């Protein structure tokens, strides 16, 4: 694995729609500007695995974001099915614990599927966290869960962009960090209270960003994706000038 990605290998577009037709419309509008698509629980619940097969069959990479969290045997079985579908990246909850994470990683070994561990959901604040019996700050729980996930062999983590810097400082450069909730400077922030731009996420050390509505709801989705790819490219170039190790470290 390498963190030397081109900009279109770092951008993941979320297909948060409820039909295969709506998803395919977005995919064809985006053409060559996007290669990785996130299929999450909305589209998967509506359309099932067929939409994943169609995307993979047409040469796209699929990030299956179903956030598995169950007993190790059940998660491993689901991961084996995802391998059969040809999925490239898949999420599990790091809070499922070490045994569950190890089982997921083990089940993915026969393929190039990358297991990503969700740390703390971006919707959870310190009060929510503390009320579940976990004391302290969100960032500390993110580091704790990411550390467990990486020890279990996960390829990386999903986190808020706010935690990327701390993750890199504490756990190094050798793993993927996927950030959702990213907005270009000056863009409509929608329901996002605290926003980070693609450039800020990449400069902090994220390897991938997930963008949904700013691209899928744009008048010209391909132009919106190209603009974000450009922001990523500029930030990645700057990073490789200022921090070559981080920009090119392999894992
Ligand atoms: O907001 P946007 O449409 O770009 O969201 C894209 C994806 O990122 C969604 O599928 C959502 O699940 C995820 N997301 C997130 N945390 C946020 C915002 C979005 O996990 N703060």
């Amino acid at each position: 694995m390498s963190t030397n990605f081109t900009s279109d290998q770092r951008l993941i577009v979320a297909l948060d729609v409820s039909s295969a037709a709506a998803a395919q419309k977005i995919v064809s509008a985006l053409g060559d500007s996007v290669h990785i698509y996130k299929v999450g629980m909305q589209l998967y619940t509506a359309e099932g695995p067929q939409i994943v097969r169609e995307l993979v069959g047409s040469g796209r990479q699929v990030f299956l974001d179903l956030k598995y969290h169950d007993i190790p045997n059940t998660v491993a079985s689901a991961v084996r099915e995802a391998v059969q579908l040809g999925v490239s990246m898949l999420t599990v909850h790091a809070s499922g614990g070490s045994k569950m994470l190890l089982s997921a990683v083990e089940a993915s070994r026969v393929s190039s599927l990358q297991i990503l561990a969700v740390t703390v959901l971006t919707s959870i604040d310190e009060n929510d966290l503390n009320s579940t019996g976990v004391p302290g700050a969100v960032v500390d729980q993110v580091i704790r869960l990411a550390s467990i996930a990486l020890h279990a062999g996960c390829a990386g983590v999903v986190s808020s962009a706010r935690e990327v810097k701390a993750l890199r400082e504490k756990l190094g450069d050798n793993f993927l960090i996927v950030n959702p909730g990213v907005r270009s400077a000056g863009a409509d922030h929608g329901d996002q209270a605290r926003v980070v731009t693609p450039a800020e996420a990449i400069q902090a050390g994220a390897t991938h960003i997930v963008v949904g509505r700013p691209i899928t709801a744009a008048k010209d989705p391909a132009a919106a994706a190209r603009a974000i790819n450009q922001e990523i490219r500029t930030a990645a170039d700057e990073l490789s000038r200022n921090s070559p190790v981080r920009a090119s470290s392999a894992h």
Side-chain angles (χ1 to χ4, degrees):
M1 265 188 294
S2 165
T3 47
N4 274 328
F5 305 104
T6 59
S7 58
D8 57 356
Q9 291 169 325
R10 291 174 175 273
L11 174 62
I12 302 169
V13 169
L15 293 172
D16 292 330
V17 290
S18 50
S19 72
Q24 291 293 10
K25 200 171 157 207
I26 294 166
V27 173
S28 61
L30 289 173
D32 285 340
S33 53
V34 174
H35 296 294
I36 316 176
Y37 288 95
K38 184 178 95 127
V39 175
M41 52 180 83
Q42 180 188 3
L43 182 58
Y44 196 86
T45 303
E47 292 285 0
Q50 188 53 26
I51 182 64
V52 176
R53 291 192 192 98
E54 286 171 17
L55 289 165
V56 172
S58 67
R60 272 81 183 190
Q61 290 180 39
V62 171
F63 170 27
L64 188 64
D65 187 23
L66 299 178
K67 300 186 177 69
Y68 297 151
H69 187 167
D70 210 314
I71 60 169
N73 184 58
T74 300
V75 169
S77 303
V79 170
R80 279 192 286 275
E81 298 300 339
V83 168
Q84 291 304 314
L85 285 176
V87 164
S88 299
M89 302 160 116
L90 170 151
T91 48
V92 296
H93 271 287
S95 53
S98 202
K99 287 202 280 290
M100 188 202 84
L101 296 164
L102 278 165
S103 298
V105 170
E106 193 54 43
S108 74
R109 282 241 160 86
V110 290
S111 69
S112 55
L113 171 61
Q114 294 177 311
I115 304 291
L116 299 171
V118 174
T119 54
V120 177
L121 295 173
T122 53
S123 53
I124 290 186
D125 63 18
E126 191 170 316
N127 282 335
D128 297 323
L129 185 71
N130 297 165
S131 71
T132 65
V134 179
V138 169
V139 67
D140 295 331
Q141 178 68 352
V142 169
I143 303 286
R144 202 176 292 130
L145 289 172
S147 172
I148 293 169
L150 297 177
H151 277 110
C154 289
V157 299
V158 180
S159 81
S160 143
R162 294 190 295 278
E163 288 117 26
V164 173
K165 204 164 162 279
L167 281 165
R168 290 296 182 214
E169 278 167 11
K170 302 271 186 206
L171 302 175
D173 291 329
N174 224 9
F175 60 99
L176 307 181
I177 301 182
V178 179
N179 284 167
V182 176
R183 289 289 180 272
S184 293
D188 176 8
H189 292 172
D191 52 8
Q192 310 272 4
R194 282 173 289 181
V195 292
V196 172
T197 66
E200 285 166 343
I202 298 298
Q203 272 160 0
T207 52
H208 296 78
I209 60 169
V210 179
V211 181
R213 293 159 292 178
I215 291 177
T216 58
K219 277 205 189 71
D220 184 345
R226 280 195 299 271
I228 290 179
N229 277 333
Q230 183 55 48
E231 280 185 62
I232 293 173
R233 205 172 303 129
T234 306
D237 287 349
E238 205 166 300
L239 188 63
S240 54
R241 274 197 302 277
N242 299 337
S243 175
V245 175
R246 173 163 299 171
S248 68
S249 64
H251 52 102

